Amino acid sequence: MKYYVGIDLGGTNIVAGVVDENYNIVAKASTKTNCPRPEKEIADDMAKMALQAVENAGLAIDQIEWIGIGTPGIANSETGIIEYSNNLGFKNTPMVKYISEVIDKPVFIENDANAAAYGEYVAGAAKGAKNAVCITLGTGVGGGIIVDGKIYSGSNFAGAEIGHTVIEVDGAQCSCGRKGCFEAYSSATGLIRMTNEAIAEHPESLMAKMSEKAKVTARTSFDAMRDGDECAKVIVDKYIKYLAAGITNTINIFQPDVLCIGGGVCNEGDALLLPMKAIVEKEVYTRDSEKNTKIVIAELGNDAGIIGAAFLGRANA
């Protein structure tokens, strides 16, 4: 049996997992990212979690084939440098070098959304597809594109930044510097912002009463909508409309066999998926085609990034 380590570097958590050749996660280790702080400190914690995951799996580091890293931002898979990550505050960070100095194994790096997409491609909702796009709705909106079985990252390793395409000109400020980005409206962060704005405007709403008892999350508007709050329904409908716009744009550009969406917001299930798919089916350019993109919920959840990162050695073969 062959084993690999996948590291999912996020703005909140660092998670490392040992994955076997059958795509099973054998063991994990995690710690808080604690941004902002020096990049070398974060790299050291990533190496520690990799070694801890190997120990938790009951293995020795010599039994590991390689280490793969999924990171937010522009990850140059040739140089091993994270050229830019607005969510982590990294610029020209030699991450592969940092990890290699601690662990003497081949190390591969890729954008985290690309890694998650590759995970879904090899072992999840996009398995068997020739061309696939995966969109992750989390703190931001991540995009990963698989073309003919290969990760597409563009000529400068910044491809698939679907979240930073504009769907509302001069709209809400995005952390990337633009206004009106898909990410600013369809991420969990964007949904929370719109929910808080509605609560401020409608203090009589059920959402406002819920916010007095608990912190507003991406679930607040959906929960209040299910309890009959009309104000919440407006926010949910607005969110789904923006999400459908971004997904329709993506399908019109790539026309993949499968488009899978993941992230915590997708836990809403049919309340999110059915109305969103209905809008996309009406608006997509190929609406009259016999073969249209299949829209599905990602299957691997938070494990997609770990599994995809673990198999980056194969993706780069």
Side-chain angles (χ1 to χ4, degrees):
M1 182 70 75
K2 291 184 177 180
Y3 299 96
Y4 318 89
V5 170
I7 301 174
D8 186 8
L9 171 60
T12 304
N13 298 302
I14 298 166
V15 186
V18 175
V19 185
D20 69 23
E21 62 189 24
N22 297 317
Y23 313 113
N24 299 308
I25 295 179
V26 180
K28 291 181 185 178
S30 65
T31 189
K32 294 294 183 183
T33 311
N34 290 328
C35 285
R37 61 179 171 135
E39 56 192 33
K40 184 64 167 61
E41 288 184 12
I42 292 175
D44 286 344
D45 276 351
M46 290 165 65
K48 285 178 187 175
M49 290 307 103
L51 293 170
Q52 185 64 58
V54 172
E55 184 180 328
N56 292 346
L59 299 170
I61 193 65
D62 290 345
Q63 293 173 271
I64 302 300
E65 300 290 319
W66 60 64
I67 295 169
I69 300 165
T71 174
I74 302 170
N76 188 320
S77 59
E78 293 180 359
T79 64
I81 292 172
I82 301 172
E83 296 180 353
Y84 175 66
S85 176
N86 59 299
N87 291 330
L88 293 172
F90 287 176
K91 192 168 185 180
N92 295 322
T93 302
M95 187 56 73
V96 166
K97 177 177 178 286
Y98 287 153
I99 302 299
S100 297
E101 287 174 347
V102 180
I103 305 174
D104 186 20
K105 287 289 175 180
V107 180
F108 302 90
I109 195 164
E110 185 57 80
N111 170 268
D112 57 349
N114 288 348
Y118 196 65
E120 291 291 344
Y121 172 74
V122 298
K127 189 173 183 178
K130 182 180 180 182
N131 303 304
V133 175
C134 294
I135 293 174
T136 305
L137 310 173
T139 304
V141 170
I145 301 164
I146 307 295
V147 177
D148 290 334
K150 298 286 186 180
I151 295 172
Y152 176 79
S153 55
S155 59
N156 59 353
F157 307 97
E161 287 292 348
I162 294 168
H164 299 297
T165 56
V166 169
I167 60 172
E168 182 77 66
V169 174
D170 294 328
Q173 182 68 54
C174 181
S175 62
C176 77
R178 299 185 81 189
K179 290 185 177 181
C181 284
F182 186 22
E183 177 170 301
Y185 290 91
S186 295
S187 62
T189 309
L191 177 54
I192 291 168
R193 173 183 56 77
M194 290 189 288
T195 301
N196 279 321
E197 288 171 354
I199 287 171
E201 292 178 13
H202 299 278
E204 78 290 351
S205 67
L206 177 58
M207 285 193 299
K209 292 180 175 61
M210 291 168 67
S211 71
E212 294 171 1
K213 299 178 181 178
K215 184 180 178 181
V216 173
T217 70
R219 294 191 56 122
T220 302
S221 58
F222 278 90
D223 287 344
M225 176 194 70
R226 280 187 282 269
D227 287 338
D229 187 352
E230 285 299 318
C231 180
K233 185 178 185 307
V234 170
I235 295 304
V236 169
D237 288 348
K238 184 178 179 181
Y239 175 78
I240 289 172
K241 186 176 180 181
Y242 281 125
L243 178 60
I247 287 176
T248 300
N249 290 345
T250 304
I251 291 174
N252 283 350
I253 295 167
F254 297 103
Q255 297 297 339
D257 304 311
V258 175
L259 185 146
C260 59
I261 56 173
V265 180
C266 294
N267 292 331
E268 299 298 339
D270 286 349
L272 172 78
L273 195 63
L274 294 181
M276 182 270 289
K277 285 172 75 172
I279 296 171
V280 173
E281 286 168 5
K282 287 180 182 177
E283 296 191 352
V284 73
Y285 186 73
T286 52
R287 53 188 169 272
D288 296 322
S289 173
E290 292 182 3
K291 184 185 177 185
N292 265 324
T293 297
K294 185 178 180 183
I295 301 173
V296 297
I297 298 293
E299 294 177 359
L300 302 179
N302 293 332
D303 291 340
I306 296 171
I307 294 171
F311 282 87
L312 288 177
R314 180 192 293 175
N316 286 276

